[in-house]
Amino acid sequence: QLQLQESGSGLVKPSQTLSLTCTVSGGSISSGIYSWSWIRQPPGRGLEWIGYIYHSGSTNYNPSLKSRVTISVDRSKNQFSLKLSSVTAADTAVYYCTRDATDGTSNWFDPWGQGTLVTVSS
Amino acid sequence: DIQLTQSPSSLSASVGDRVTITCRASQSINTYLNWYQQKPGKAPNLLIYVASTLQSGVPPRFSGSGSGTDFTLTISSLQPEDFAIYYCQQNNMTPWTFGQGTKVEIK
């Protein structure tokens, strides 16, 4: 059974860079048909897709965050990572990693990691 | 970006009630629409994909329908474990976007 687990710093100072890693177990991140996404949820609010990456390294970012986001993949460790630069309090959120499952035409997020809260504060 | 508007934003219902949640897209998204359930402190969980396909392991009291711009999620007989927030999400065009959520509460 595929499982995802987020890890990284839970407290980041304003203007610094948020860094998170998602470790995939029970399957290979190099499976060609899937992409791997980061999604965030500010406390008490809705869900925002941040971006995805394929095992090849090809990425697609939400334009609202594109100038500050980098998603990378480490196939040898079966991990993918998120970096978000120049953070502010508005970036405080629970960050989830997930797989973009697909039937070749449509895709959906499944499964999800449990999420990790990142707080931006001095 | 494609905007998804859910209605209602919240509802109160009793166990056994039939519940319907709607999701309207700002432009046609064919059937590229998914539904998720989120319980407090937990990650969202996929219920339905491609508008009407039930995810494995999801009880058949959940169903989805629609295409184009108008979609519905129906719970045929609400159970205690169904009290949660429900989100629709489109994958017609990036950036993938979510509805604002519908909170289903106990009456």
Side-chain angles (χ1 to χ4, degrees), chain A residues 10-16 18 40-43 45 48 65 68 84-95 117-122:
Chain A
L11 180 63
V12 183
K13 289 181 168 52
S15 80
Q16 295 192 342
L18 176 161
R40 70 179 183 177
Q41 184 173 37
R45 298 183 63 184
E48 179 180 33
L65 297 168
R68 300 193 291 130
L84 182 65
S85 64
S86 305
V87 298
T88 70
D91 296 310
T92 294
V94 175
Y95 286 76
L117 175 63
V118 178
T119 301
V120 178
S121 175
S122 56

Side-chain angles (χ1 to χ4, degrees), chain B residues 79-94:
Chain B
Q79 298 301 301
E81 60 268 31
D82 301 336
F83 292 95
I85 299 176
Y86 294 85
Y87 293 95
C88 57
Q89 176 253 325
Q90 65 81 21
N91 64 100
N92 179 71
M93 181 186 306
T94 59

Side-chain angles (χ1 to χ4, degrees), chain A residues 83-106:
Chain A
K83 291 189 184 298
L84 182 65
S85 64
S86 305
V87 298
T88 70
D91 296 310
T92 294
V94 175
Y95 286 76
Y96 298 100
C97 59
T98 179
R99 181 185 66 173
D100 294 27
T102 183
D103 60 3
T105 302
S106 189

Side-chain angles (χ1 to χ4, degrees), chain A residues 31-67:
Chain A
S31 175
I33 60 172
Y34 299 123
S35 54
W36 305 85
S37 279
W38 287 97
I39 293 167
R40 70 179 183 177
Q41 184 173 37
R45 298 183 63 184
L47 298 157
E48 179 180 33
W49 175 73
I50 298 170
Y52 68 60
I53 190 166
Y54 283 95
H55 69 87
S56 63
S58 173
T59 56
N60 189 324
Y61 300 141
N62 192 322
S64 68
L65 297 168
K66 187 174 184 177
S67 63

Side-chain angles (χ1 to χ4, degrees), chain A residues 1 3 5 14 29 44 60 76 80 85 94-95 98 112 114 120:
Chain A
Q1 181 181 356
Q3 293 185 314
Q5 177 68 58
I29 202 169
N60 189 324
S76 68
F80 61 107
S85 64
V94 175
Y95 286 76
T98 179
W112 297 59
Q114 65 184 25
V120 178

